[in-house]
Amino acid sequence: MDGDPKVESELDPFSRVLPLPYRVAIILVCGIWAWGLNLHYLYLVKIDVPALIRYSSRLSPAQRHVAHHHSTYRLATFLTVPLAVSLIFFRTITGASKKAVAEWQILPQSYLVFFAISFIVPIQRMSHNGRSRFVHTFKRVSIGGLAQVQDGKFGDILLADVLTSYAKVLGDLFVSTCMLFSSKTTSTSTPDRGCGGQYLVPLVISIPSIIRLRQCLIEYARVRRNRTPESGWGGQHLANALKYSSAFPVIVLSAIQRNYDPKKFDMSETGLFRLWLVFVFINSFYSFYWDVAKDWDLSLFSSSRERNDPEHPWGLRRNRYFHAKQMYYVAIVIDFFLRCTWSVKLSPHLDHFNDLEGGIFLMEFLEVVRRWMWIFFRVETEWVRNNKGPAPDDILLGEFGPKIDED
């Protein structure tokens, strides 16, 4: 493979500077830093995230005095330093040379192996409980499992929702691994998203949505099995399942367009594109509506009477833990725009343009930012649902306590 002219010609400018395995690693590490920031700020506003996700108490007396966000920052730092060293070393050795980049694919791949091992092997001066809990939860969630409420159901849902934002990153991880073992290319070449077959990568991208779909159906079955007047008949869970199902036509039609053969399809390529746009529109706006109305419990899409209720700012809700109402409005606007771009990003047929690789990476990164923002409001909403009363008096109450508007 070394020195293969075909491989060298496949290296686009962005992949020479930042090969696909490094892009995957950067986004994964950024996600851990983002979770640390989530925990940190929510801790400041007196929202107990570990209690919401049913995180077990730490056994070691020394660990009890370490905030969870500090432990997350330690892990993120532990993963960031080797990544930075690897990137600098890779850049120094290759000099962005096509031939050298192809020859040194072992460096970025080694870091991905190191990243995976870090969640399994005990590390001195770092709590192993959190990583073990994550691995245990990930195993359950990866097959669409869902814990009971008392066992951490909210944590399972939160992790599965995060995975939907990493759908394309998981696809890139698969592509990178496939290219590593390919005799025709290297993992540091321009990504071959047809590696492994034309429909395998779209299938990998679909897995997070399949997971959430199954979780919604599990919740629906539980409601039907233990139905009470308060729980209703479970229609909201079916509606949520429909939301995740709306991603499948976007992915499938995109895969068809990428490998379009007029002999196999009666519909023209233009017709397929228009149909794809329809499903992109449905997925984007359905997801945006659900974020605002269901995940954040805001009244923006409620009746005019509820939306204009004088007990709270327009389109929001009465009980809020974030002091500034502008935070909610900004989050709504950002979520709307990034929801639209992310639906387009799920489309593999846009990826074959080499000059889009930098843009693709940017969109994947922005989706991590959107999910980071979404977590703040989703966790705050869950805390409000579980704690209707005011928080205890605190020196930070005026700035960080629950905001309850009154006439």
Side-chain angles (χ1 to χ4, degrees):
M1 185 54 55
D2 296 347
D4 189 334
K6 181 179 179 181
V7 172
E8 293 181 22
S9 65
E10 292 175 352
L11 279 168
D12 64 281
F14 190 74
S15 293
R16 287 165 58 185
V17 176
L18 199 62
L20 185 62
Y22 276 134
R23 293 178 233 167
V24 171
I26 288 172
I27 292 178
L28 290 174
V29 172
C30 284
I32 297 175
W33 279 107
W35 176 239
L37 291 171
N38 286 136
L39 292 174
H40 196 169
Y41 183 76
L42 292 168
Y43 170 83
L44 291 177
V45 299
K46 309 302 180 185
I47 294 178
D48 190 350
V49 179
L52 282 177
I53 64 177
R54 302 297 193 270
Y55 184 81
S56 57
S57 301
R58 292 168 167 173
L59 300 177
S60 170
Q63 293 177 358
R64 291 174 190 169
H65 299 288
V66 179
H68 290 84
H69 57 271
H70 289 156
S71 297
T72 306
Y73 288 151
R74 284 182 184 177
L75 176 61
T77 303
F78 177 79
L79 294 171
T80 301
V81 173
L83 176 58
V85 172
S86 180
L87 279 166
I88 294 171
F89 190 49
F90 183 83
R91 176 68 177 178
T92 302
I93 291 178
T94 64
S97 162
K98 291 183 178 181
K99 180 179 179 181
V101 167
E103 290 176 345
W104 283 93
Q105 64 171 331
I106 189 64
L107 274 178
Q109 290 293 346
S110 296
Y111 179 80
L112 290 177
V113 173
F114 166 79
F115 182 93
I117 292 176
S118 298
F119 282 86
I120 303 173
V121 178
I123 303 171
Q124 189 176 8
R125 296 177 61 84
M126 294 183 63
S127 171
H128 187 58
N129 294 340
R131 287 172 289 135
S132 298
R133 166 68 184 270
F134 172 80
V135 172
H136 178 73
T137 303
F138 184 81
K139 287 179 180 178
R140 179 172 61 245
V141 168
S142 64
I143 57 174
L146 184 66
Q148 296 289 343
V149 175
Q150 68 274 13
D151 298 322
K153 185 186 83 168
F154 180 63
D156 286 8
I157 293 174
L158 211 58
L159 176 57
D161 271 325
V162 168
L163 287 177
T164 62
S165 291
Y166 276 84
K168 196 61 176 61
V169 179
L170 294 175
D172 284 350
L173 178 60
F174 170 81
V175 168
S176 172
T177 305
C178 179
M179 292 172 65
L180 175 66
F181 294 103
S182 173
S183 60
K184 300 178 181 179
T185 186
T186 67
S187 62
T188 48
S189 300
T190 296
D192 174 17
R193 294 184 171 87
C195 190
Q198 59 185 9
Y199 295 114
L200 196 52
V201 173
L203 177 61
V204 173
I205 294 174
S206 301
I207 289 176
S209 294
I210 295 173
I211 289 172
R212 279 300 284 129
L213 171 62
R214 185 169 186 266
Q215 288 183 334
C216 292
L217 296 178
I218 289 174
E219 286 196 275
Y220 172 73
R222 288 177 181 175
V223 170
R224 298 296 293 178
R225 196 164 48 241
N226 306 293
R227 188 173 179 179
T228 64
E230 293 78 17
S231 65
W233 64 278
Q236 179 164 310
H237 299 305
L238 288 182
N240 201 13
L242 182 62
K243 181 194 74 173
Y244 291 105
S245 300
S246 68
F248 301 142
V250 176
I251 297 170
V252 171
L253 288 172
S254 181
I256 293 174
Q257 288 180 82
R258 182 183 178 92
N259 305 282
Y260 180 75
D261 184 349
K263 297 179 181 179
K264 295 182 179 180
F265 298 97
D266 294 332
M267 186 178 293
S268 67
E269 193 167 8
T270 301
L272 277 173
F273 178 73
R274 289 174 179 172
L275 184 62
W276 170 78
L277 279 180
V278 169
F279 282 108
V280 164
F281 178 86
I282 293 172
N283 177 259
S284 298
F285 286 91
Y286 196 171
S287 299
F288 170 67
Y289 161 79
W290 201 273
D291 286 343
V292 174
K294 304 298 181 181
D295 289 340
W296 299 345
D297 283 355
L298 303 181
S299 60
L300 182 65
F301 297 110
S302 302
S303 65
S304 176
R305 180 179 178 181
E306 188 174 351
R307 188 167 53 248
N308 294 286
D309 191 330
E311 291 191 348
H312 60 71
W314 183 86
L316 303 186
R317 49 177 153 79
R318 186 169 184 264
N319 295 305
R320 305 185 312 280
Y321 263 74
F322 301 144
H323 182 67
K325 63 182 180 182
Q326 291 79 7
M327 289 178 62
Y328 294 86
Y329 294 131
V330 170
I332 290 171
V333 172
I334 293 175
D335 190 74
F336 172 76
F337 283 108
L338 293 185
R339 270 295 187 185
C340 294
T341 57
W342 184 241
S343 290
V344 175
K345 183 65 203 71
L346 286 173
S347 307
H349 79 281
L350 298 178
D351 295 345
H352 65 282
F353 296 106
N354 290 340
D355 58 345
L356 284 182
E357 285 300 328
I360 290 168
F361 174 68
L362 176 62
M363 291 176 72
E364 290 178 350
F365 180 79
L366 287 176
E367 172 58 15
V368 172
V369 173
R370 188 200 68 81
R371 183 60 67 180
W372 168 72
M373 178 196 72
W374 176 92
I375 287 175
F376 283 116
F377 296 93
R378 179 65 184 90
V379 172
E380 182 246 9
T381 301
E382 192 69 16
W383 187 253
V384 169
R385 291 172 183 172
N386 287 274
N387 301 272
K388 291 296 186 181
D393 292 336
D394 190 274
I395 191 171
L396 296 176
L397 183 60
E399 182 179 1
F400 292 118
K403 181 67 175 177
I404 303 176
D405 294 295
E406 298 178 357
D407 294 336

